[in-house]
Amino acid sequence: MQALMLLLWTGALLGGGSCQNSAGSLEGSPAPETTGVSVEEEDPFFKVPVNKLAAAVSNFGYDLYRVKSGLSPTANVLLSPLSVATALSALSLGAEQRTESSIHRALYYDLITNPDIHGTYKELLASVTAAQKNFKSASRIIFERKLRIKSSFVAPLEKSYGTRPRILTGNSQVDLQEVNNWVQAQMKGKLAKSTREIPSEVSILLLGVAYFKGQWATRFDPRKTSLQDFHLDEDRSVKVPMMSDPKAVLRYGLDSDLNCKIAQLPLTGSTSIIFFLPQKVTQNLTMIEESLTSEFIHDIDRELKTVRAVLTVPKLKLSYDGEVTKSLQEIKLQSLFDSPDFSKITGKSIKLTQAEHRASFEWNEDGAGPTSSPELQPAHITFPLDYHLNQPFIFVLRDTDTGALLFIGKILDPRGT
Ligand SMILES: *[C@@H]1O[C@H](CO)[C@@H](O)[C@H](O)[C@H]1NC(C)=O
């Protein structure tokens, strides 16, 4: 009943059963539950090879996020899984059959018929890192000291992924500095230097780094930013700088199965942020997390309706510098840490020992214009609703052109690191 009322008031409703079955239920008017036809297979969007590949690596990204979030249930999570996927995809060039298929399964390549995945990956990287997207991502494979690498591995790696492998010197000071310099160069100095030493027992270390600073399509008025309560849970709250727009135009939908209000705000450069805000204050976002897939996000993107809202959004500046090793071990990739076959890289027996991720993500009031673009005006006058990101929420930064997941965050406390 409640969902129906919101339907009448806002004209926006996400159909039931939207999560696991990304099939018909989000398609316009509720489709019969019995069709059993997988919509994502038929959607022309996913017929474009680069979009299909983006969906696959993004599904890996949602898996990685779920594991990472499960490992830290009471902490913020910030991830740009694409950089980790890229390092893995690049590494698969050096993997023999069974090891290659493990990586391909984790990246959902087994569902792709495209014979030239690595060529398409190059296209994907070029698209998502185009200058106007304000998104930087880079990946690198680092090998144990003195390892001799076959040139037949290096050449295709450079061709498709634009990256050269690095071989450690064994001097931890020199190695850390070299990696920091590489990160600085790739991220144009936007990421802080790491002080975390390169572990001495490295055999293969994957490094993925990313940076994003959002530019809203409609900027916030800094004079309307003020300290307001952010509810950490049912009992505790903290004061944080909260931006607000009393007449925001955004895309909105209520998912009555997930008990969450979904909103999308466009950014400049063909990207958007999708927020998942539970209807009641809770740190337990499991149900939303379980539903996240490329196909679900694609459906949301098509189904949300443009509305007017009283909007508040906390200012945000988060960074991450740490391992994702344990997370990778938990998503079908344990075999890479045991006895993988990387004989296309070297004659020596090597294995994955670490995966590291460094990321920084930021939004404030900055944006393109003071008013929203004409194509985002509500079709008819709607009841203005309230959308306050003043309690734990999840956000997804999505590339509009390819559908790729660029960043994902679980914000339990906006003050967090
Ligand atoms: C979180 O919510 C899920 C789904 O509603 C539930 O199964 C789970 O037990 C909850 N976890 C905690 C720690 O409360």
Side-chain angles (χ1 to χ4, degrees):
M1 259 335 202
Q2 189 193 13
L4 190 61
M5 275 182 45
L6 269 160
L7 171 67
L8 293 172
W9 283 9
T10 68
L13 171 77
L14 288 172
S18 41
C19 29
Q20 270 73 12
N21 62 335
S22 46
S25 58
L26 280 162
E27 283 285 320
S29 55
E33 298 281 322
T34 49
T35 54
V37 178
S38 174
V39 167
E40 65 265 23
E41 287 308 319
E42 295 180 329
D43 194 313
F45 183 82
F46 293 115
K47 289 230 156 77
V48 180
V50 70
N51 299 352
K52 181 80 183 169
L53 179 65
V57 296
S58 302
N59 276 330
F60 159 83
Y62 294 116
D63 287 345
L64 186 68
Y65 165 77
R66 268 185 285 276
V67 174
K68 187 89 185 127
S69 178
L71 290 171
S72 50
T74 57
N76 289 338
V77 173
L78 177 74
L79 272 185
S80 178
L82 182 69
S83 64
V84 182
T86 304
L88 274 169
S89 190
L91 182 65
S92 78
L93 285 168
E96 283 295 353
Q97 262 180 357
R98 93 192 133 80
T99 300
E100 185 187 43
S101 1
S102 301
I103 300 177
H104 284 192
R105 266 199 310 278
L107 296 174
Y108 292 89
Y109 290 175
D110 51 337
L111 305 178
I112 298 180
T113 48
N114 172 9
D116 184 20
I117 285 188
H118 301 291
T120 307
Y121 211 114
K122 180 178 185 166
E123 208 184 312
L124 174 63
L125 288 176
S127 174
V128 298
T129 59
Q132 74 272 14
K133 295 199 177 163
N134 304 312
F135 173 68
K136 298 188 198 318
S137 178
S139 312
R140 204 182 197 196
I141 306 173
I142 299 172
F143 291 106
E144 64 189 49
R145 65 190 276 264
K146 292 192 176 162
L147 191 73
R148 297 177 67 90
I149 297 177
K150 296 179 180 172
S151 58
S152 54
F153 168 67
V154 177
L157 188 69
E158 275 197 279
K159 179 164 170 275
S160 293
Y161 297 91
T163 180
R164 288 184 62 85
R166 166 79 191 168
I167 296 154
L168 295 175
T169 66
N171 176 328
S172 62
Q173 288 285 330
V174 171
D175 286 331
L176 177 62
Q177 191 175 16
E178 195 280 336
V179 170
N180 272 334
N181 290 344
W182 178 85
V183 171
Q184 293 280 310
Q186 297 292 318
M187 300 289 108
K188 305 277 187 284
K190 302 289 191 187
L191 236 55
K193 286 203 164 95
S194 181
T195 52
R196 290 159 18 86
E197 274 198 16
I198 312 266
S200 55
E201 72 281 16
V202 165
S203 177
I204 304 174
L205 185 159
L206 300 182
L207 176 63
V209 298
Y211 172 81
F212 181 79
K213 169 135 193 301
Q215 295 284 325
W216 307 105
T218 307
R219 66 171 173 254
F220 286 84
D221 180 352
R223 289 167 303 183
K224 296 201 170 78
T225 299
S226 63
L227 281 182
Q228 291 182 37
D229 282 335
F230 185 94
H231 304 279
L232 301 175
D233 55 32
E234 283 171 343
D235 307 317
R236 298 173 303 148
S237 64
V238 291
K239 296 271 188 210
V240 303
M242 198 77 90
M243 313 182 290
S244 65
D245 184 347
K247 286 189 182 164
V249 176
L250 47 77
R251 300 184 67 235
Y252 175 83
L254 173 84
D255 190 310
S256 49
D257 282 353
L258 298 180
N259 281 322
C260 97
K261 298 186 286 184
I262 303 172
Q264 182 182 41
L265 278 183
L267 297 149
T268 63
S270 290
T271 56
S272 74
I273 291 186
I274 301 174
F275 299 103
F276 295 84
L277 182 68
Q279 285 191 287
K280 66 177 177 55
V281 177
T282 175
Q283 292 207 339
N284 184 348
L285 306 170
T286 310
M287 215 151 69
I288 298 167
E289 291 173 336
E290 290 298 324
S291 73
L292 297 174
T293 64
S294 300
E295 295 74 20
F296 179 47
I297 298 289
H298 178 72
D299 287 343
I300 287 174
D301 179 60
R302 294 193 323 178
E303 288 300 311
L304 298 179
K305 300 289 187 290
T306 304
V307 300
R308 230 176 238 297
V310 182
L311 173 70
T312 54
V313 180
K315 284 171 80 154
L316 205 66
K317 184 170 184 173
L318 297 175
S319 58
Y320 180 78
D321 177 5
E323 295 212 21
V324 288
T325 312
K326 196 153 185 283
S327 306
L328 286 189
Q329 288 168 335
E330 294 198 11
I331 45 172
K332 310 175 210 165
L333 288 170
Q334 181 58 45
S335 66
L336 300 193
F337 296 83
D338 298 335
S339 53
D341 184 349
F342 286 116
S343 47
K344 284 184 181 167
I345 298 177
T346 179
K348 197 173 169 215
S349 130
I350 53 173
K351 62 184 181 181
L352 185 58
T353 48
Q354 278 92 13
E356 302 206 350
H357 186 47
R358 298 188 198 174
S360 171
F361 182 98
E362 183 178 358
W363 69 52
N364 56 23
E365 293 91 349
D366 293 352
T371 51
S372 52
S373 60
E375 70 260 32
L376 203 75
Q377 294 301 326
H380 8 255
I381 304 298
T382 48
F383 197 89
L385 52 94
D386 288 322
Y387 200 83
H388 301 305
L389 290 158
N390 60 358
Q391 61 178 75
F393 64 91
I394 289 172
F395 77 82
V396 165
L397 173 68
R398 178 179 186 265
D399 173 41
T400 309
D401 297 329
T402 61
L405 166 68
L406 304 182
F407 258 98
I408 181 165
K410 173 173 76 169
I411 309 303
L412 301 183
D413 184 342
R415 302 169 304 171
T417 58

